[in-house]
Amino acid sequence: MQKLSDLLKFKYTWRTYQQKFLDGFQEHIKDGHLHVIAPPGSGKTILGLEILTRIGKPTLVLAPTLTIRNQWRSRLLEFFTAKHDFEFLSLDIKNPDFITFSTYQSLYALTKSFDDKGKEMLVEFIKSHGIQTLVLDEAHHLKNEWWHCLYHLKEIEGLTVVSLTATPPYDSSTTEINRYFSLCGPIDDEIAVPDLIKNGDLCPHQDFVYFSKPEEAQIKYIVNYREQILNFTKNLIANKGLQEKLITQDFYVNPKESLDYIYQHPTFFSSIIIYLNSCGYAVNEQNLKILGFSTNDVSFPSFTYEWSEALLQNLLVDQRETFMAFEDILMPLEKELKRIGVLEHKRVNFVGDEVLYRNLSNSPSKLESIYQIVKSTDANLGADSRTVILADFIRKEFLDFEGSDTKVLNKLGVVPIFKYILAKQTGDEKLGLLTGSMVIVHENALLKFKQLLSVEKLQVHPVEGSLGYVFIHVPDALKNKIAESITQLFEDGVIKTLIGTKAFLGEGWDAPCINTLILASYVGSFVSSNQMRGRAIRVDANNPDKTGTIWHLACLDPTAADGGKDMEKLQQRFEAFTGVSLHNEIYISNGIDRLVLPIEWSETTDLEAINADMLEQAQQKSEFKSRWYQAIEKGNVLVRELKIPSASDQPFAKTKKLHALNAGKYVMLEVVLGVSMFVPEFLIKNMGAVIGKGVVQVIYLFCAALILGFGPKTFKALKLYFLFGNQYKKTKKIGKALLAYLLDDKTSYFESKNAIIHVEQHIKGTFSIYLKDASQHDSNVFISLLEEIIAPIDNPRYLLVNSNWLKRKLKIRSYYVVPTDIGKNKKEALLFQKYWNTHVDRSKIQFTRSLEGRKVLLKARFSHLKYQFEAVAKKSITWK
């Protein structure tokens, strides 16, 4: 066989951003991994084919579906061969060729066919056929059992793994995200959406959110749920039986004899102490010493839901066998938690994430949200309106609904959405409903529909309560043409609003005419919905001026200041794609901040005003088109940065709390302002004393008043300042130490030798830090490591501990994490310490896997509970 690059050649000219990516390809592939994010519309499959031709080795391409597998084959023949005559390819994984296109399901089935030694025999099978390159297309689709065989393949020496995705699974659990990146490797490069818009491959677009409140029945459910938890917590604090059991445990009475156990379960141990303290018990001094504190050196946090979860998760689930003697007390607690809904699937969760999320995400109030969006879109765009609504379920039980009493439609789904819109918008003849098992159109569309299907008759019957609409029974022979025909009706305007399931109208379905997408999907990963979002922002050859509007729905929890789980899921969804800011400063970034939504939510939040503004903004097509092009001109690359907000920006953030490095500055400012107001007032009040007693006595009096009035605040300011230093400067120093380590000749995986640190100060005290003149891969490595250093301490192998003379007198220590990848061995940790001591401070390195180290680690973890604001350091992607 000839060289692969001689047999397969791309027949056209590469787009600018594609060529830019290919120019850096050889650098990225050096380590045997290539992980690329390529949004819909960027030619991901074409780039994947070019990559495998350049590697030039026998290749196995794995796709999530047969449709996408077949697209790989057709693209190869269409774009890389002159006469569609490439012979060295196969679609059968059991009979591979030089290039084999298959699916993850087929690989798993092949593994299962080898019986007991499936994974070992799979590795031998791949080796025996000489496959040396593995291409993973949209690996976020992988089901749990599929991961294992791929991990085994990765063990093959010399195997190159190429991962292509439009949407990494950022909304998944931490375990799933870590698993995804351990398989695919860190992101090497990303084709930027701004480049695609600039090049005319995607249309300008904007995301909007329509908010709703729960129905009265849902509010009662939520309030009742919260009240039950509150009562449970009160009863837990009053549970003398549990308290008496805990205070008699060996690890509590004689902690020195149970150091191994305590250091293995530091959070559980801390939760017991905090619980007993809340119950009014004086905490055993020995226990405080184990934590590294004296009795007058610790201020206990409240026994919050998080601490309650930590306590009960261990007692009821994780360490149940250890506490068998507690069964008479634990059984009633377990039954009560299960009754409330706090204990599900072996997880204690007082926030009620899943219980309330299921309740709110499926809220029928979203039906009204959808109707208002459709109504506004039709009024604005008229005949040009092309709206797609995606839902998770069909809900056939509502097919018989008729009338105007929409309260009966109490679940979110394809049929309820269809029925609700018709009930509110009587006489609408432009609706269509399409799922894998159901087709509904207006009778006026039947003639054109039959023409497209090339049939003279169709079996139809009227849809009850939906005047003029018919349910179509499609013969099995025509099922493959249904989506194609409905799509044509949609493009022609016979259907203006198409309602369907995420599963059926997800990947593989394409309609460039879509200009409005409403995501009413909430089950599972949002990735497939995000794929659909990609189709809504594709250019339309028949409409060069197309703009895309994407609507997201959120039902707010009125009892949660952060809006609740539905809002949290929405924020996660926004982390996965970049867009242009909606108001004020023009910029391109990921995350929901660019929509400028309220920081806090309450019953007094004016949702109607927010929604009205969103609807009005959605009509300003030329405005967000202009904002895109202005923002694109301000930059040329997507930069990964770490944003560190001020305390006021994120008062209700729940995770990854960052130490308040600048706390001292704010408290000291309060002292200075207080003194400046105090001095004139003191002189005015004591003018008689100055005249009568003399200046010296008045100065003594003044100093005494000053010390009594402002001494405690001054001490607090000094203590906080020395504990954490100035946030902006300290973070920049830490960044310099990290970059110096990465640029060391011994650090082989960092290639950007000209990289420099850049820190930008924003309004309200927020600032961001990122690398200039660095590759996407290296920027990602830097930001990930920096985030780990300053995040709350979990369980690192090494800590950096700083303790100078003044800090010892103030009983203050500073602790920072040596990141996992750097702390994998002592040699690397010491190298990092060298640069830390050069740029930050003189810190000692502490190994935490020894008894002494566990003690230091426990104190470090406990210390950050006392001095912190609710600020969150988070990764961001910004066009600069």
Side-chain angles (χ1 to χ4, degrees), residues 391-416:
D392 293 298
F393 303 111
I394 298 174
R395 310 284 191 199
K396 290 182 180 179
E397 63 268 28
F398 293 99
L399 267 173
D400 295 337
F401 168 80
E402 56 183 311
S404 58
D405 185 10
T406 53
K407 288 182 180 178
V408 177
L409 302 170
N410 58 4
K411 289 183 180 178
L412 196 61
V414 170
V415 174

Side-chain angles (χ1 to χ4, degrees), residues 343-384:
L343 177 56
E344 284 189 338
H345 309 300
K346 295 187 176 182
R347 181 180 174 231
V348 177
N349 184 348
F350 278 91
V351 179
D353 289 353
E354 296 308 319
V355 174
L356 298 185
Y357 178 54
R358 287 196 300 268
N359 189 275
L360 291 174
S361 58
N362 191 32
S363 173
S365 67
K366 291 184 178 181
L367 293 171
E368 177 64 17
S369 301
I370 293 167
Y371 166 67
Q372 291 296 339
I373 296 166
V374 170
K375 177 184 172 184
S376 176
T377 302
D378 286 348
N380 181 38
L381 297 179
D384 294 329

Side-chain angles (χ1 to χ4, degrees), residues 697-760:
Q697 277 188 287
V698 171
I699 290 173
Y700 281 136
L701 184 65
F702 171 75
C703 290
L706 197 64
I707 290 168
L708 288 171
F710 295 98
K713 284 189 175 181
T714 304
F715 177 79
K716 180 183 177 184
L718 287 171
K719 187 168 183 175
L720 285 171
Y721 182 81
F722 283 110
L723 179 62
F724 298 121
N726 178 273
Q727 187 179 24
Y728 178 87
K729 292 179 182 177
K730 187 71 173 275
T731 307
K732 190 172 183 179
K733 288 178 179 178
I734 293 171
K736 285 183 177 179
L738 176 59
L739 181 59
Y741 164 81
L742 291 171
L743 290 173
D744 191 284
D745 292 336
K746 299 182 184 69
T747 310
S748 58
Y749 55 84
F750 192 87
E751 303 288 345
S752 303
K753 299 302 180 184
N754 296 320
I756 56 172
I757 286 175
H758 192 78
V759 185
E760 290 181 0

Side-chain angles (χ1 to χ4, degrees), residues 279-314:
C279 296
Y281 284 82
V283 178
N284 187 325
E285 189 173 344
Q286 288 186 68
N287 286 320
L288 288 177
K289 286 182 178 179
I290 293 296
L291 293 169
F293 297 101
S294 61
T295 50
N296 60 356
D297 185 39
V298 59
S299 53
F300 286 94
S302 302
F303 186 61
T304 60
Y305 288 157
E306 287 78 13
W307 287 116
S308 188
E309 285 175 11
L311 175 68
L312 295 172
Q313 180 70 33
N314 279 275

Side-chain angles (χ1 to χ4, degrees), residues 122-155:
L122 176 66
V123 169
E124 287 305 313
F125 178 86
I126 295 297
K127 285 181 177 179
S128 67
H129 285 88
I131 294 171
Q132 298 175 55
T133 304
L134 182 64
V135 178
L136 306 177
D137 188 17
E138 302 292 6
H140 56 256
H141 282 277
L142 295 179
K143 294 182 179 178
N144 289 338
E145 61 267 22
W146 298 350
W147 290 95
H148 302 296
C149 48
L150 286 168
Y151 275 131
H152 274 69
L153 292 187
K154 276 194 70 174
E155 295 172 5

Side-chain angles (χ1 to χ4, degrees), residues 361 366 370 374 387-394 412-414 417 434-435 497-507 509 514 516-523 526-536 550-553 573:
S361 58
K366 291 184 178 181
I370 293 167
V374 170
T387 302
V388 170
I389 305 169
L390 282 180
D392 293 298
F393 303 111
I394 298 174
L412 196 61
V414 170
I417 292 169
L434 176 63
T435 74
T497 302
L498 182 61
I499 308 159
T501 51
K502 177 185 70 176
F504 195 74
L505 297 181
E507 290 168 280
W509 184 72
I514 300 171
T516 303
L517 174 66
I518 303 174
L519 294 171
S521 169
Y522 63 90
V523 171
F526 70 82
V527 170
S528 54
S529 294
N530 209 33
Q531 295 285 333
M532 192 64 231
R533 179 185 181 275
R535 281 152 178 73
I550 303 99
W551 283 95
H552 309 261
L553 309 177
R573 174 179 288 187

